[in-house]
Amino acid sequence: MVLNGAEIVLKCLKEQGVDTVFGYPGGTILNIYDELYKHSDEFCHILTSHEQGAAHAADGYARSTGKVGVCMATSGPGSTNLVTGIATAYMDSVPMVAITCNVNLPALGKDSFQEVDINGITMPITKHGFIVKDVKKLADTLRRAFEIARSGRPGPVVVDITKDVTAAKCDYTPAQISEPKTKKEYSKEDIEKVAAMIAKSKRPFIYVGGGAIISGAHEEVRELAKRIQAPVCDTLMGKGAFDGTDELYTGMIGMHGTKTSNYGVSKCDLLLTCGARFSDRVIGNPKAFAKGAKIVQFDIDAAEINKNIKTDASIVGDLKEILTDLLEVLKPGKHDEWLSEIKEMEEEFPLSYDKSKLTCPYIMEELDKITKGGAIITTDVGQHQMWAAQYYKYKNPRTFLSSGGLGTMGYGLGAVIGAKMGNPDKICVNIAGDGCFRMNMNELATASRYNIPIIEIIIDNEVLGMVRQWQNLFYGQRYSQTVLTDKVDYCKVAEGLGCKAIRVTKKSEVAAALKEAINAGGPVVIDAVIEKDDKVYPMVPAGKPLTEVFDASDIEE
């Protein structure tokens, strides 16, 4: 059949199982948007308030569903506004296809109106980029883009299409999409070597990252922990890969990880690293990290092996496949003495906060209680992000969505919209600091336009909390440009953008506010006013060994 380029784009999206697109129209992409108008019964298009919001929404949709997220933008500033969202997805290995359109082919390279080389701009922050200048190559390029985005270590792909290609016609042949088959790069001997190391271990510890969620290996991780009686810690990106209420779970590791996880990894004799990349925020001082342990790393990306931490054994491949093969040969182990030592640490060093006043940890605990740990939580970046990671008990994968690698303030509101579109039956909540909320609060207009029932909780302390914490602890309390005491009323902003607004200032108001928001049937903003000098503890100073973790009680002493 003969179709024009815009029709081919939508046919290819349909082939790939895409039903939801986030974007913003403009001159060069008008042919595609005109075609979307004709197919509005097949595609849900969410018009965001800004292209960055579209990229974050596609990201949130992808993280929460496991599907490829799709966003669209026009040329020039439309495409460059996607850049932060693309970089966020790249750093956290999120499958996304960003479709942009450029000026007509004869106008390329002539500084034409709204012309920009978006592939050149995004080359360092994508798995791959394409520019389509021939309509006959359009369908195959789009199919290839989706394959690249979802295969191996996932990531974002940009497909830039000149406007004349979206109008040109050619023969289109439908394609059957099948799951690509990958060949295992590891051997039976590799598996047996790791099994032997586990059998010799007296103090094993399992360290779980985002790769466990991407590969769908959460059940295998849980079976591994039970089989060998090993405690389990996770990274920010690994939240939910292991049940946060399980007795083997010790909490997050790293800069704001629990003392038990940080001390435990420092004392273990074998560290099994499942889909994690040894981020600087996790390992602290690399020379002192788990220095008494044999380190095993399972990762799909060979480039991550020995990049930050030297391993004693490693297996490159899909984590779910690796653990499935390992469990076939792994014999049960008992480490009662080690687990008893871990339990003693948990009793001695529990997470704690000031219960006499309204705090973010209290809000997270109430939210966990009311939702029974079943909500999808997105966050922005800062203190509230760490509190959300520490105090909500994530039982399942794809329920905690946060910008881990790039640390993108303003990520969460777009992401929670995307998550809700992909999971309409789930309660979806974004936790934001007041500084982060200002960056993309215009996306409340998106939520109200479509009456998307998301909940936005602003942890309102009138400061850039995490930066202030560092200024307080390490910069002599010189609070340079981190104070937000101005005249912005977030409830009025929310109401002005079409959302219901609730302000809470004390603990007794929290439960009722959360229940009202959950039952509202539309977007709700809760402005939670807390004190400006609440701090996230525990904490490891940047670049220091994990054993130097401290909390408020250590400072008092």
Side-chain angles (χ1 to χ4, degrees), residues 376 378 412-424 426-431 437 441 443-448 450-457 499-500 514 516-526:
I376 293 176
T378 70
L413 183 49
V416 78
I417 289 170
K420 186 64 178 180
M421 294 306 300
N423 303 268
K426 291 279 186 77
I427 297 169
C428 295
V429 185
N430 182 48
I431 311 299
F437 176 66
M441 61 186 179
E443 295 306 334
L444 287 180
T446 305
S448 66
Y450 299 100
N451 198 40
I452 303 171
I454 54 99
I455 301 170
E456 173 85 357
I457 300 178
C499 300
K500 182 177 181 62
L514 291 173
E516 183 179 351
I518 289 168
N519 296 318
V524 178
V525 173
I526 298 175

Side-chain angles (χ1 to χ4, degrees), residues 62-66 213-216 239-240 376 396-401:
R63 294 193 205 216
S64 63
T65 64
I213 292 171
I214 293 168
S215 70
K239 288 283 164 194
I376 293 176
N396 296 300
R398 302 193 181 281
T399 55
F400 178 77
L401 319 180

Side-chain angles (χ1 to χ4, degrees), residues 233-411:
C233 65
D234 57 19
T235 67
L236 192 69
M237 304 310 301
K239 288 283 164 194
F242 194 80
D243 185 347
T245 64
D246 193 286
E247 61 182 7
L248 291 175
Y249 180 66
T250 62
M252 194 165 61
I253 183 176
M255 181 173 283
H256 292 293
T258 64
K259 283 188 172 183
T260 301
S261 291
N262 287 338
Y263 289 150
V265 166
S266 300
K267 289 184 176 183
C268 74
D269 66 2
L270 178 69
L271 185 64
L272 297 171
T273 308
C274 300
R277 61 188 178 86
F278 298 105
S279 160
D280 59 298
R281 287 294 174 104
V282 166
I283 65 175
N285 183 345
K287 293 179 181 178
F289 179 75
K291 60 184 179 181
K294 299 286 187 184
I295 295 178
V296 177
Q297 186 176 9
F298 307 132
D299 205 286
I300 199 164
D301 188 354
E304 291 298 341
I305 307 298
N306 296 320
K307 186 175 82 174
N308 295 326
I309 292 292
K310 183 169 174 46
T311 62
D312 296 282
S314 61
I315 300 179
V316 176
D318 181 86
L319 182 63
K320 186 178 179 72
E321 291 184 358
I322 292 170
L323 294 184
T324 299
D325 291 343
L326 179 61
L327 288 166
E328 284 182 2
V329 302
L330 193 62
K331 295 178 181 177
K334 286 182 71 66
H335 301 102
D336 294 335
E337 189 176 330
W338 173 230
L339 291 183
S340 177
E341 185 178 347
I342 292 292
K343 192 70 179 174
E344 287 174 7
M345 280 193 268
E346 288 180 320
E347 291 172 357
E348 185 178 357
F349 307 119
L351 286 174
S352 63
Y353 63 91
D354 186 346
K355 293 181 170 57
S356 68
K357 60 184 181 180
L358 178 61
T359 63
C360 185
Y362 177 79
I363 293 168
M364 296 313 304
E365 287 185 337
E366 284 296 295
L367 182 60
D368 182 58
K369 189 189 306 178
I370 290 168
T371 62
K372 298 180 172 60
I376 293 176
I377 306 295
T378 70
T379 78
D380 282 286
V381 173
Q383 289 180 313
H384 62 277
Q385 176 190 33
M386 296 298 109
W387 284 318
Q390 291 172 333
Y391 288 95
Y392 194 92
K393 304 302 181 187
Y394 301 92
K395 298 185 180 74
N396 296 300
R398 302 193 181 281
T399 55
F400 178 77
L401 319 180
S402 192
S403 174
L406 196 65
T408 306
M409 292 177 69
Y411 164 81

Side-chain angles (χ1 to χ4, degrees), residues 52-131:
Q52 185 178 332
H56 292 327
D59 176 306
Y61 180 93
R63 294 193 205 216
S64 63
T65 64
K67 301 176 184 177
V68 178
V70 178
C71 56
M72 292 182 175
T74 195
S75 62
S79 59
T80 59
N81 282 344
L82 294 175
V83 169
T84 297
I86 292 170
T88 302
Y90 180 75
M91 289 291 285
D92 291 342
S93 304
V94 178
M96 178 196 296
V97 172
I99 298 173
T100 60
C101 285
N102 218 318
V103 298
N104 289 326
L105 185 56
L108 277 180
K110 297 181 179 178
D111 293 332
S112 303
F113 177 67
Q114 290 194 332
E115 179 196 358
V116 76
D117 177 11
I118 192 60
N119 273 314
I121 290 169
T122 59
M123 188 179 295
I125 54 168
T126 54
K127 275 190 79 177
H128 200 76
F130 299 93
I131 180 163

